[in-house]
Amino acid sequence: MTAKKKPSLTYQLVNASVDSDDYSLDKPEEACGVFGVYAPEKEVAKLAYFGLYALQHRGQESAGIATLEGDIIHLHKDMGLVSQVFKPEILQELTGILAVGHTRYSTTGSSHKANAQPVVLETRLGNLSLAHNGNLVNTYELRRNLEQRGCNFNTSTDSEMIAVAIAQEVDEGKDWLEAARNAFSLCSGAYSLVIGTPQGLMGVRDPNGVRPLVIGILEGETSRYVLASETCALDIIGADYLREVEPGELVWITGEGLSSFHWATQPQRKLCIFEMIYFARPDSLMHDETLYSYRVRLGQQLAKESCVKADLVMGVPDSGIPAAIGFSQVSGIAYGEGLIKNRYVGRTFIQPTQHMRESGIKMKLNPLKDVLQGKRVIMVDDSIVRGTTSRKIVKALRDAGAKEVHMRISSPPVTHPCFYGIDTDNQSQLIAATKSVADICEQIGVDSLAYLSWKGMLDVTGEDTNSFCSACFTGDYPIAIPDDVKRSKLILEEAKI
Ligand code: SF4
């Protein structure tokens, strides 16, 4: 069987480049956002567009939507932000009864238009379109298995491998559900999937549920379902949140409604704790509360663990703000804003001048001099990964007149890379893997630095602390990683592997 990629209908070239002074470059990058909607007689492409618009934070390199109706599939995908890739006339061409959408930040596979999703393949039962969030850890083995069965590949992504594995099973005579279950039994790693077929829409989470996936229903409708990485994508299209897809569950949505299948033999929830600390939007729900509320509690716990005398508590915008508010509530130290973020800087077509580059992070974050002048400041952030930008921010605060700068981090030190769909580089690039707290303090130029404890981070979830992956803080990976894959990132521990 040769799984062929259906050519896209249209492409447009978007020449986006990343602002090199973007503060987000010092943060781990989320891998992807996925979205699906089954809604005959609705403008499914438009619903997918707005769903992806709400999920833009999960991937800014490329975006795509595929719509299906029976044997007819329409696809548009390209490099760039959702608002750059789609125009009204393109959305008008994307007709169908269901849509699958994707925003991408590359992990496995290079950053290239050919790797943009959804992946589309022809099968015996018609076209399949697949959107994937996560990362497989057994790609070498899976690819070899599929090649031995005669499959070909068009890209270097693990997402295409999953689609090809399903298509292969279909072409060997299985129906969609059996084909999908057989394909997943070959996959190891993190995968939240939305899959469109001529017969219905599928939503799947891996047996550990590492990446999120939720189900919603369009307001006032009985069987118009939505699948999305986060609940913020339901809110934007007026869909009500029903529940999350369980780890190891497959939901199958057709004209007859939604059916659920628990296909994994030993599901064990291991939701990525970083989704809760930083990646997912603060207005998204997890465990029936907004992540804003969890992040405020992280700050409260941080204040209990590592308060210091100061005049002002501030957060690094935007992601450090909820924890800073929590820190202020418990410490009794006034909360205020010390940095203003230019919300329209992120991606730019024009590179800054050399002089602007040397002026540090002010393109994105500008300090409030009259607020900071003569103050002892506690600056709260959600994480330090490489430490490259923290130094610039601290310098900007001191230049603006801050007398002391104490840094407080609402998560533990990141000492290990992620293999499950988050780009945290290799271990040697993680500042906490190679330096002590005292050394980091000196490097970024703060008067003191403290991280939240691992126990504190998990305790304030209010959930079973075993139900999270926190491997980037501990090195305790819940899904086994082949040695050759480990070697590619665990540089400092290579000798032990
Ligand atoms: S290793 Fe870290 S970033 Fe990766 S899934 Fe686990 S907690 Fe999340």
Side-chain angles (χ1 to χ4, degrees), residues 392-423:
K392 288 183 185 174
I393 297 176
V394 173
K395 181 174 181 306
L397 296 185
R398 290 200 192 277
D399 289 349
K403 197 164 74 182
E404 293 175 17
V405 181
H406 302 274
M407 193 154 187
R408 295 293 179 270
I409 305 297
S410 62
S411 64
V414 176
T415 53
H416 288 72
C418 178
F419 295 91
Y420 309 137
I422 298 301
D423 182 13

PDB file of all heavy atoms in Angstrom, residues 392-423:
ATOM      1  N   LYS A 392      18.550  40.428  30.681  1.00  0.00           N
ATOM      2  CA  LYS A 392      18.182  41.704  30.038  1.00  0.00           C
ATOM      3  C   LYS A 392      17.047  42.389  30.793  1.00  0.00           C
ATOM      4  O   LYS A 392      17.039  43.605  30.958  1.00  0.00           O
ATOM      5  CB  LYS A 392      17.733  41.458  28.600  1.00  0.00           C
ATOM      6  CG  LYS A 392      18.851  41.080  27.653  1.00  0.00           C
ATOM      7  CD  LYS A 392      18.263  40.944  26.263  1.00  0.00           C
ATOM      8  CE  LYS A 392      19.297  40.445  25.278  1.00  0.00           C
ATOM      9  NZ  LYS A 392      18.688  40.177  23.966  1.00  0.00           N
ATOM     10  N   ILE A 393      16.113  41.597  31.269  1.00  0.00           N
ATOM     11  CA  ILE A 393      14.976  42.194  31.994  1.00  0.00           C
ATOM     12  C   ILE A 393      15.461  42.790  33.305  1.00  0.00           C
ATOM     13  O   ILE A 393      15.095  43.912  33.673  1.00  0.00           O
ATOM     14  CB  ILE A 393      13.880  41.137  32.260  1.00  0.00           C
ATOM     15  CG1 ILE A 393      13.309  40.624  30.948  1.00  0.00           C
ATOM     16  CG2 ILE A 393      12.772  41.717  33.118  1.00  0.00           C
ATOM     17  CD1 ILE A 393      12.298  39.504  31.107  1.00  0.00           C
ATOM     18  N   VAL A 394      16.313  42.050  34.011  1.00  0.00           N
ATOM     19  CA  VAL A 394      16.823  42.539  35.298  1.00  0.00           C
ATOM     20  C   VAL A 394      17.601  43.839  35.083  1.00  0.00           C
ATOM     21  O   VAL A 394      17.440  44.818  35.824  1.00  0.00           O
ATOM     22  CB  VAL A 394      17.707  41.460  35.978  1.00  0.00           C
ATOM     23  CG1 VAL A 394      18.369  42.017  37.228  1.00  0.00           C
ATOM     24  CG2 VAL A 394      16.858  40.228  36.314  1.00  0.00           C
ATOM     25  N   LYS A 395      18.403  43.864  34.040  1.00  0.00           N
ATOM     26  CA  LYS A 395      19.182  45.085  33.757  1.00  0.00           C
ATOM     27  C   LYS A 395      18.228  46.261  33.466  1.00  0.00           C
ATOM     28  O   LYS A 395      18.446  47.380  33.953  1.00  0.00           O
ATOM     29  CB  LYS A 395      20.115  44.836  32.563  1.00  0.00           C
ATOM     30  CG  LYS A 395      20.982  46.042  32.222  1.00  0.00           C
ATOM     31  CD  LYS A 395      21.984  45.734  31.138  1.00  0.00           C
ATOM     32  CE  LYS A 395      22.863  46.941  30.815  1.00  0.00           C
ATOM     33  NZ  LYS A 395      22.142  48.158  30.469  1.00  0.00           N
ATOM     34  N   ALA A 396      17.178  45.977  32.709  1.00  0.00           N
ATOM     35  CA  ALA A 396      16.206  47.044  32.390  1.00  0.00           C
ATOM     36  C   ALA A 396      15.561  47.578  33.664  1.00  0.00           C
ATOM     37  O   ALA A 396      15.355  48.789  33.813  1.00  0.00           O
ATOM     38  CB  ALA A 396      15.155  46.512  31.432  1.00  0.00           C
ATOM     39  N   LEU A 397      15.264  46.684  34.625  1.00  0.00           N
ATOM     40  CA  LEU A 397      14.653  47.131  35.889  1.00  0.00           C
ATOM     41  C   LEU A 397      15.634  47.989  36.675  1.00  0.00           C
ATOM     42  O   LEU A 397      15.269  49.025  37.242  1.00  0.00           O
ATOM     43  CB  LEU A 397      14.224  45.925  36.734  1.00  0.00           C
ATOM     44  CG  LEU A 397      13.124  45.023  36.166  1.00  0.00           C
ATOM     45  CD1 LEU A 397      12.740  43.946  37.173  1.00  0.00           C
ATOM     46  CD2 LEU A 397      11.883  45.823  35.785  1.00  0.00           C
ATOM     47  N   ARG A 398      16.880  47.558  36.706  1.00  0.00           N
ATOM     48  CA  ARG A 398      17.890  48.345  37.458  1.00  0.00           C
ATOM     49  C   ARG A 398      18.120  49.695  36.776  1.00  0.00           C
ATOM     50  O   ARG A 398      18.211  50.731  37.447  1.00  0.00           O
ATOM     51  CB  ARG A 398      19.197  47.556  37.551  1.00  0.00           C
ATOM     52  CG  ARG A 398      19.108  46.343  38.467  1.00  0.00           C
ATOM     53  CD  ARG A 398      20.504  45.914  38.900  1.00  0.00           C
ATOM     54  NE  ARG A 398      20.490  44.608  39.541  1.00  0.00           N
ATOM     55  CZ  ARG A 398      20.190  44.393  40.820  1.00  0.00           C
ATOM     56  NH1 ARG A 398      19.841  45.396  41.606  1.00  0.00           N
ATOM     57  NH2 ARG A 398      20.221  43.171  41.318  1.00  0.00           N
ATOM     58  N   ASP A 399      18.212  49.701  35.446  1.00  0.00           N
ATOM     59  CA  ASP A 399      18.390  50.969  34.720  1.00  0.00           C
ATOM     60  C   ASP A 399      17.234  51.922  34.990  1.00  0.00           C
ATOM     61  O   ASP A 399      17.383  53.134  34.937  1.00  0.00           O
ATOM     62  CB  ASP A 399      18.492  50.716  33.208  1.00  0.00           C
ATOM     63  CG  ASP A 399      19.801  50.043  32.821  1.00  0.00           C
ATOM     64  OD1 ASP A 399      20.706  49.957  33.684  1.00  0.00           O
ATOM     65  OD2 ASP A 399      19.912  49.584  31.665  1.00  0.00           O
ATOM     66  N   ALA A 400      16.046  51.322  35.242  1.00  0.00           N
ATOM     67  CA  ALA A 400      14.865  52.159  35.503  1.00  0.00           C
ATOM     68  C   ALA A 400      14.806  52.609  36.965  1.00  0.00           C
ATOM     69  O   ALA A 400      13.844  53.262  37.379  1.00  0.00           O
ATOM     70  CB  ALA A 400      13.607  51.390  35.138  1.00  0.00           C
ATOM     71  N   GLY A 401      15.808  52.227  37.778  1.00  0.00           N
ATOM     72  CA  GLY A 401      15.891  52.743  39.144  1.00  0.00           C
ATOM     73  C   GLY A 401      15.602  51.761  40.253  1.00  0.00           C
ATOM     74  O   GLY A 401      15.622  52.128  41.436  1.00  0.00           O
ATOM     75  N   ALA A 402      15.301  50.476  39.930  1.00  0.00           N
ATOM     76  CA  ALA A 402      15.034  49.495  40.999  1.00  0.00           C
ATOM     77  C   ALA A 402      16.273  49.350  41.878  1.00  0.00           C
ATOM     78  O   ALA A 402      17.388  49.198  41.375  1.00  0.00           O
ATOM     79  CB  ALA A 402      14.635  48.157  40.387  1.00  0.00           C
ATOM     80  N   LYS A 403      16.056  49.381  43.213  1.00  0.00           N
ATOM     81  CA  LYS A 403      17.200  49.324  44.144  1.00  0.00           C
ATOM     82  C   LYS A 403      17.662  47.880  44.332  1.00  0.00           C
ATOM     83  O   LYS A 403      18.849  47.600  44.398  1.00  0.00           O
ATOM     84  CB  LYS A 403      16.752  49.922  45.486  1.00  0.00           C
ATOM     85  CG  LYS A 403      17.900  50.315  46.394  1.00  0.00           C
ATOM     86  CD  LYS A 403      17.421  51.237  47.496  1.00  0.00           C
ATOM     87  CE  LYS A 403      16.628  50.441  48.529  1.00  0.00           C
ATOM     88  NZ  LYS A 403      16.075  51.252  49.602  1.00  0.00           N
ATOM     89  N   GLU A 404      16.702  46.971  44.454  1.00  0.00           N
ATOM     90  CA  GLU A 404      17.012  45.539  44.565  1.00  0.00           C
ATOM     91  C   GLU A 404      16.068  44.784  43.629  1.00  0.00           C
ATOM     92  O   GLU A 404      14.918  45.193  43.458  1.00  0.00           O
ATOM     93  CB  GLU A 404      16.769  45.025  45.993  1.00  0.00           C
ATOM     94  CG  GLU A 404      17.722  45.601  47.023  1.00  0.00           C
ATOM     95  CD  GLU A 404      17.345  45.154  48.449  1.00  0.00           C
ATOM     96  OE1 GLU A 404      16.570  44.176  48.591  1.00  0.00           O
ATOM     97  OE2 GLU A 404      17.816  45.806  49.398  1.00  0.00           O
ATOM     98  N   VAL A 405      16.551  43.676  43.065  1.00  0.00           N
ATOM     99  CA  VAL A 405      15.671  42.823  42.245  1.00  0.00           C
ATOM    100  C   VAL A 405      15.797  41.387  42.746  1.00  0.00           C
ATOM    101  O   VAL A 405      16.884  40.798  42.725  1.00  0.00           O
ATOM    102  CB  VAL A 405      16.036  42.878  40.746  1.00  0.00           C
ATOM    103  CG1 VAL A 405      15.082  41.983  39.935  1.00  0.00           C
ATOM    104  CG2 VAL A 405      15.987  44.308  40.222  1.00  0.00           C
ATOM    105  N   HIS A 406      14.677  40.853  43.252  1.00  0.00           N
ATOM    106  CA  HIS A 406      14.628  39.472  43.749  1.00  0.00           C
ATOM    107  C   HIS A 406      13.751  38.672  42.789  1.00  0.00           C
ATOM    108  O   HIS A 406      12.591  39.030  42.584  1.00  0.00           O
ATOM    109  CB  HIS A 406      14.057  39.437  45.168  1.00  0.00           C
ATOM    110  CG  HIS A 406      14.854  40.264  46.126  1.00  0.00           C
ATOM    111  ND1 HIS A 406      15.957  39.779  46.783  1.00  0.00           N
ATOM    112  CD2 HIS A 406      14.731  41.576  46.488  1.00  0.00           C
ATOM    113  CE1 HIS A 406      16.481  40.740  47.538  1.00  0.00           C
ATOM    114  NE2 HIS A 406      15.746  41.846  47.378  1.00  0.00           N
ATOM    115  N   MET A 407      14.309  37.606  42.243  1.00  0.00           N
ATOM    116  CA  MET A 407      13.534  36.840  41.260  1.00  0.00           C
ATOM    117  C   MET A 407      12.915  35.622  41.930  1.00  0.00           C
ATOM    118  O   MET A 407      13.585  34.883  42.662  1.00  0.00           O
ATOM    119  CB  MET A 407      14.434  36.405  40.110  1.00  0.00           C
ATOM    120  CG  MET A 407      13.666  35.902  38.926  1.00  0.00           C
ATOM    121  SD  MET A 407      14.619  36.129  37.426  1.00  0.00           S
ATOM    122  CE  MET A 407      13.435  35.655  36.215  1.00  0.00           C
ATOM    123  N   ARG A 408      11.632  35.400  41.678  1.00  0.00           N
ATOM    124  CA  ARG A 408      10.918  34.239  42.211  1.00  0.00           C
ATOM    125  C   ARG A 408      10.236  33.520  41.053  1.00  0.00           C
ATOM    126  O   ARG A 408       9.550  34.149  40.239  1.00  0.00           O
ATOM    127  CB  ARG A 408       9.871  34.669  43.253  1.00  0.00           C
ATOM    128  CG  ARG A 408      10.494  35.290  44.520  1.00  0.00           C
ATOM    129  CD  ARG A 408      11.293  34.261  45.303  1.00  0.00           C
ATOM    130  NE  ARG A 408      11.947  34.778  46.506  1.00  0.00           N
ATOM    131  CZ  ARG A 408      13.170  35.284  46.557  1.00  0.00           C
ATOM    132  NH1 ARG A 408      13.895  35.380  45.454  1.00  0.00           N
ATOM    133  NH2 ARG A 408      13.697  35.679  47.694  1.00  0.00           N
ATOM    134  N   ILE A 409      10.436  32.211  40.996  1.00  0.00           N
ATOM    135  CA  ILE A 409       9.957  31.416  39.860  1.00  0.00           C
ATOM    136  C   ILE A 409       8.872  30.457  40.350  1.00  0.00           C
ATOM    137  O   ILE A 409       9.106  29.673  41.276  1.00  0.00           O
ATOM    138  CB  ILE A 409      11.131  30.606  39.226  1.00  0.00           C
ATOM    139  CG1 ILE A 409      12.274  31.546  38.834  1.00  0.00           C
ATOM    140  CG2 ILE A 409      10.638  29.793  38.033  1.00  0.00           C
ATOM    141  CD1 ILE A 409      11.923  32.566  37.782  1.00  0.00           C
ATOM    142  N   SER A 410       7.705  30.492  39.675  1.00  0.00           N
ATOM    143  CA  SER A 410       6.564  29.693  40.160  1.00  0.00           C
ATOM    144  C   SER A 410       6.572  28.261  39.616  1.00  0.00           C
ATOM    145  O   SER A 410       5.519  27.656  39.422  1.00  0.00           O
ATOM    146  CB  SER A 410       5.244  30.390  39.807  1.00  0.00           C
ATOM    147  OG  SER A 410       5.113  30.498  38.414  1.00  0.00           O
ATOM    148  N   SER A 411       7.774  27.728  39.382  1.00  0.00           N
ATOM    149  CA  SER A 411       7.943  26.306  39.057  1.00  0.00           C
ATOM    150  C   SER A 411       9.353  25.920  39.501  1.00  0.00           C
ATOM    151  O   SER A 411      10.193  26.794  39.737  1.00  0.00           O
ATOM    152  CB  SER A 411       7.763  26.059  37.556  1.00  0.00           C
ATOM    153  OG  SER A 411       8.770  26.721  36.823  1.00  0.00           O
ATOM    154  N   PRO A 412       9.649  24.624  39.613  1.00  0.00           N
ATOM    155  CA  PRO A 412      10.996  24.206  40.012  1.00  0.00           C
ATOM    156  C   PRO A 412      12.008  24.415  38.875  1.00  0.00           C
ATOM    157  O   PRO A 412      11.621  24.710  37.740  1.00  0.00           O
ATOM    158  CB  PRO A 412      10.819  22.697  40.304  1.00  0.00           C
ATOM    159  CG  PRO A 412       9.350  22.467  40.414  1.00  0.00           C
ATOM    160  CD  PRO A 412       8.701  23.491  39.539  1.00  0.00           C
ATOM    161  N   PRO A 413      13.301  24.220  39.150  1.00  0.00           N
ATOM    162  CA  PRO A 413      14.307  24.381  38.084  1.00  0.00           C
ATOM    163  C   PRO A 413      14.098  23.350  36.966  1.00  0.00           C
ATOM    164  O   PRO A 413      13.897  22.168  37.245  1.00  0.00           O
ATOM    165  CB  PRO A 413      15.644  24.127  38.812  1.00  0.00           C
ATOM    166  CG  PRO A 413      15.346  24.310  40.262  1.00  0.00           C
ATOM    167  CD  PRO A 413      13.916  23.949  40.470  1.00  0.00           C
ATOM    168  N   VAL A 414      14.149  23.802  35.714  1.00  0.00           N
ATOM    169  CA  VAL A 414      14.031  22.898  34.561  1.00  0.00           C
ATOM    170  C   VAL A 414      15.412  22.299  34.293  1.00  0.00           C
ATOM    171  O   VAL A 414      16.335  23.004  33.875  1.00  0.00           O
ATOM    172  CB  VAL A 414      13.528  23.657  33.311  1.00  0.00           C
ATOM    173  CG1 VAL A 414      13.493  22.729  32.092  1.00  0.00           C
ATOM    174  CG2 VAL A 414      12.160  24.244  33.562  1.00  0.00           C
ATOM    175  N   THR A 415      15.545  21.018  34.569  1.00  0.00           N
ATOM    176  CA  THR A 415      16.861  20.373  34.467  1.00  0.00           C
ATOM    177  C   THR A 415      16.929  19.302  33.377  1.00  0.00           C
ATOM    178  O   THR A 415      18.002  18.795  33.082  1.00  0.00           O
ATOM    179  CB  THR A 415      17.222  19.696  35.816  1.00  0.00           C
ATOM    180  OG1 THR A 415      16.128  18.838  36.185  1.00  0.00           O
ATOM    181  CG2 THR A 415      17.480  20.722  36.908  1.00  0.00           C
ATOM    182  N   HIS A 416      15.759  18.945  32.815  1.00  0.00           N
ATOM    183  CA  HIS A 416      15.727  17.869  31.818  1.00  0.00           C
ATOM    184  C   HIS A 416      14.898  18.280  30.603  1.00  0.00           C
ATOM    185  O   HIS A 416      13.908  19.010  30.744  1.00  0.00           O
ATOM    186  CB  HIS A 416      15.128  16.590  32.424  1.00  0.00           C
ATOM    187  CG  HIS A 416      16.047  15.936  33.404  1.00  0.00           C
ATOM    188  ND1 HIS A 416      16.301  16.447  34.653  1.00  0.00           N
ATOM    189  CD2 HIS A 416      16.817  14.822  33.291  1.00  0.00           C
ATOM    190  CE1 HIS A 416      17.172  15.674  35.286  1.00  0.00           C
ATOM    191  NE2 HIS A 416      17.499  14.677  34.479  1.00  0.00           N
ATOM    192  N   PRO A 417      15.280  17.804  29.427  1.00  0.00           N
ATOM    193  CA  PRO A 417      14.521  18.143  28.218  1.00  0.00           C
ATOM    194  C   PRO A 417      13.225  17.352  28.140  1.00  0.00           C
ATOM    195  O   PRO A 417      13.054  16.336  28.809  1.00  0.00           O
ATOM    196  CB  PRO A 417      15.467  17.736  27.080  1.00  0.00           C
ATOM    197  CG  PRO A 417      16.306  16.648  27.662  1.00  0.00           C
ATOM    198  CD  PRO A 417      16.437  16.936  29.134  1.00  0.00           C
ATOM    199  N   CYS A 418      12.326  17.843  27.291  1.00  0.00           N
ATOM    200  CA  CYS A 418      11.051  17.160  27.076  1.00  0.00           C
ATOM    201  C   CYS A 418      11.134  16.336  25.786  1.00  0.00           C
ATOM    202  O   CYS A 418      11.672  16.806  24.789  1.00  0.00           O
ATOM    203  CB  CYS A 418       9.938  18.190  26.955  1.00  0.00           C
ATOM    204  SG  CYS A 418       8.327  17.436  26.629  1.00  0.00           S
ATOM    205  N   PHE A 419      10.571  15.142  25.819  1.00  0.00           N
ATOM    206  CA  PHE A 419      10.507  14.284  24.621  1.00  0.00           C
ATOM    207  C   PHE A 419       9.066  14.129  24.135  1.00  0.00           C
ATOM    208  O   PHE A 419       8.805  13.358  23.225  1.00  0.00           O
ATOM    209  CB  PHE A 419      11.082  12.894  24.937  1.00  0.00           C
ATOM    210  CG  PHE A 419      12.550  12.911  25.275  1.00  0.00           C
ATOM    211  CD1 PHE A 419      12.972  13.049  26.587  1.00  0.00           C
ATOM    212  CD2 PHE A 419      13.511  12.817  24.269  1.00  0.00           C
ATOM    213  CE1 PHE A 419      14.321  13.081  26.903  1.00  0.00           C
ATOM    214  CE2 PHE A 419      14.865  12.851  24.572  1.00  0.00           C
ATOM    215  CZ  PHE A 419      15.275  12.982  25.901  1.00  0.00           C
ATOM    216  N   TYR A 420       8.137  14.829  24.793  1.00  0.00           N
ATOM    217  CA  TYR A 420       6.718  14.594  24.519  1.00  0.00           C
ATOM    218  C   TYR A 420       6.030  15.781  23.847  1.00  0.00           C
ATOM    219  O   TYR A 420       4.852  16.033  24.068  1.00  0.00           O
ATOM    220  CB  TYR A 420       5.986  14.245  25.816  1.00  0.00           C
ATOM    221  CG  TYR A 420       6.630  13.149  26.634  1.00  0.00           C
ATOM    222  CD1 TYR A 420       6.749  13.261  28.010  1.00  0.00           C
ATOM    223  CD2 TYR A 420       7.117  11.986  26.019  1.00  0.00           C
ATOM    224  CE1 TYR A 420       7.335  12.252  28.770  1.00  0.00           C
ATOM    225  CE2 TYR A 420       7.723  10.982  26.767  1.00  0.00           C
ATOM    226  CZ  TYR A 420       7.819  11.123  28.135  1.00  0.00           C
ATOM    227  OH  TYR A 420       8.405  10.127  28.883  1.00  0.00           O
ATOM    228  N   GLY A 421       6.786  16.544  23.067  1.00  0.00           N
ATOM    229  CA  GLY A 421       6.116  17.559  22.256  1.00  0.00           C
ATOM    230  C   GLY A 421       6.364  18.990  22.667  1.00  0.00           C
ATOM    231  O   GLY A 421       5.711  19.889  22.161  1.00  0.00           O
ATOM    232  N   ILE A 422       7.297  19.213  23.588  1.00  0.00           N
ATOM    233  CA  ILE A 422       7.644  20.572  23.975  1.00  0.00           C
ATOM    234  C   ILE A 422       9.117  20.780  23.654  1.00  0.00           C
ATOM    235  O   ILE A 422       9.946  19.922  23.939  1.00  0.00           O
ATOM    236  CB  ILE A 422       7.433  20.776  25.486  1.00  0.00           C
ATOM    237  CG1 ILE A 422       5.961  20.580  25.858  1.00  0.00           C
ATOM    238  CG2 ILE A 422       7.918  22.154  25.921  1.00  0.00           C
ATOM    239  CD1 ILE A 422       4.994  21.485  25.163  1.00  0.00           C
ATOM    240  N   ASP A 423       9.425  21.931  23.070  1.00  0.00           N
ATOM    241  CA  ASP A 423      10.802  22.183  22.670  1.00  0.00           C
ATOM    242  C   ASP A 423      11.560  22.846  23.815  1.00  0.00           C
ATOM    243  O   ASP A 423      11.463  24.044  24.024  1.00  0.00           O
ATOM    244  CB  ASP A 423      10.815  23.084  21.439  1.00  0.00           C
ATOM    245  CG  ASP A 423      12.236  23.317  20.967  1.00  0.00           C
ATOM    246  OD1 ASP A 423      13.136  22.605  21.439  1.00  0.00           O
ATOM    247  OD2 ASP A 423      12.437  24.209  20.138  1.00  0.00           O
TER     248      ASP A 423
END
